[in-house]
Amino acid sequence: MTTLQDLFDNNRRWAGAMEARDPGFFRRLEIQQAPQYLWIGCSDSRVPANDIVGLMPGELFVHRNVANIVVHTDLNCLSVIQYAVEVLRVRHVIVCGHYGCGGVEAAFERRKLGTIDNWLRQVQEVHARHAAALDRLGSKQERLRRLSELNVIEQARRVCETTVVQEAWSRGQSLSVHGWIYAVSDGHLRDLGFESACAEQTAAAYLSSVAPARPPAK
Ligand code: CO
């Protein structure tokens, strides 16, 4: 009898159902993975990457951390991006945030939670950069929503600026970077209008997606 037996029971049921639906599924996966997408998302338990976009094991390469942050000195995130782009040769990198993000909220309110405050400084930098536009919004709820969106856009731009992505583009590799946001309240993804497929597109993608005149995301 192992601890957390219910999780092992769930696992055996899941593996059995997968194999029943598609005999040989796990054997084929064992040989290779060939995902087309790298997902950089929040660690939040309500935002399970594969489920949201309906992808199977083997179809989505995933990196998650609190508040979906991309830092140019984070060896973990950089290694994931490098492996995804250069070895797996994914065609899309998706940075996906979510409304109601506890990390974004803690950063916004400058809460003192411990070590994580240092990590969330990154979100406070986003807040500071866009303070004027955020202050123009009426309610705290609207500001938080917009800060969550702006955080995604800033992190997506950072992905574009990594040496890995810059070099992939200069080699002519087909690779697009996207900024999306997920609503826990209705399960829907929204495209934030940031999309860059080459070095020359990034600045325009950034400017158009942070523009205050942008219509509300649908
Ligand atoms: Co979050």
Side-chain angles (χ1 to χ4, degrees), residues 94-111:
I94 299 154
V95 177
C96 186
H98 67 105
Y99 297 122
C101 182
V104 171
E105 211 167 304
F108 181 84
E109 292 178 342
R110 292 187 151 50
R111 267 185 234 144

Side-chain angles (χ1 to χ4, degrees), residues 41-47 65-68 97-104:
C42 182
S43 298
D44 193 301
S45 65
R46 299 165 297 178
V47 194
N65 61 45
V66 174
N68 40 271
H98 67 105
Y99 297 122
C101 182
V104 171

Side-chain angles (χ1 to χ4, degrees), residues 49-87:
N50 281 68
D51 298 285
I52 288 173
V53 285
L55 290 177
M56 299 289 280
E59 295 182 325
L60 188 66
F61 201 63
V62 173
H63 176 76
R64 291 168 70 179
N65 61 45
V66 174
N68 40 271
I69 291 168
V70 175
V71 188
H72 286 137
T73 50
D74 176 5
L75 187 59
N76 182 353
C77 184
L78 288 181
S79 301
V80 170
I81 295 173
Q82 191 236 329
Y83 190 80
V85 170
E86 294 182 6
V87 181

Side-chain angles (χ1 to χ4, degrees), residues 11-209:
N11 165 259
R12 294 302 187 271
R13 265 197 304 278
W14 171 79
M18 294 291 282
E19 194 63 28
R21 195 166 55 188
D22 182 2
F25 177 75
F26 291 106
R27 225 174 11 252
R28 286 197 305 280
L29 272 187
E30 192 185 11
I31 299 165
Q32 68 160 359
Q33 62 165 337
Q36 299 270 304
Y37 319 93
L38 165 60
W39 175 278
I40 299 175
C42 182
S43 298
D44 193 301
S45 65
R46 299 165 297 178
V47 194
N50 281 68
D51 298 285
I52 288 173
V53 285
L55 290 177
M56 299 289 280
E59 295 182 325
L60 188 66
F61 201 63
V62 173
H63 176 76
R64 291 168 70 179
N65 61 45
V66 174
N68 40 271
I69 291 168
V70 175
V71 188
H72 286 137
T73 50
D74 176 5
L75 187 59
N76 182 353
C77 184
L78 288 181
S79 301
V80 170
I81 295 173
Q82 191 236 329
Y83 190 80
V85 170
E86 294 182 6
V87 181
L88 298 173
R89 298 184 77 84
V90 299
R91 301 178 77 88
H92 301 274
V93 180
I94 299 154
V95 177
C96 186
H98 67 105
Y99 297 122
C101 182
V104 171
E105 211 167 304
F108 181 84
E109 292 178 342
R110 292 187 151 50
R111 267 185 234 144
K112 295 278 171 272
L113 297 175
T115 304
I116 196 169
D117 301 347
N118 300 285
W119 180 250
L120 294 175
R121 273 298 307 156
Q122 301 290 331
V123 181
Q124 289 173 350
E125 299 287 345
V126 175
H127 189 177
R129 188 167 311 129
H130 299 280
L134 288 166
D135 288 348
R136 278 196 294 273
L137 296 173
S139 67
K140 180 188 156 194
Q141 212 47 38
E142 279 176 88
R143 287 177 200 179
L144 270 171
R145 284 174 68 85
R146 189 58 183 149
L147 179 57
S148 301
E149 296 174 353
L150 290 167
N151 183 48
V152 168
I153 295 162
E154 292 288 348
Q155 308 310 326
R157 180 171 71 161
R158 286 183 177 184
V159 171
C160 296
E161 288 166 349
T162 59
T163 53
V164 173
V165 170
Q166 291 285 321
E167 284 164 15
W169 281 337
S170 67
R171 285 194 301 272
Q173 187 174 334
S174 172
L175 180 68
S176 303
V177 179
H178 311 261
W180 296 355
I181 199 154
Y182 175 76
V184 173
S185 57
D186 65 5
H188 287 197
L189 275 174
R190 278 108 173 142
D191 191 330
L192 292 172
F194 181 99
E195 180 171 350
S196 182
C198 64
E200 295 72 29
Q201 268 180 12
T202 304
Y206 175 79
L207 286 174
S208 67
S209 54

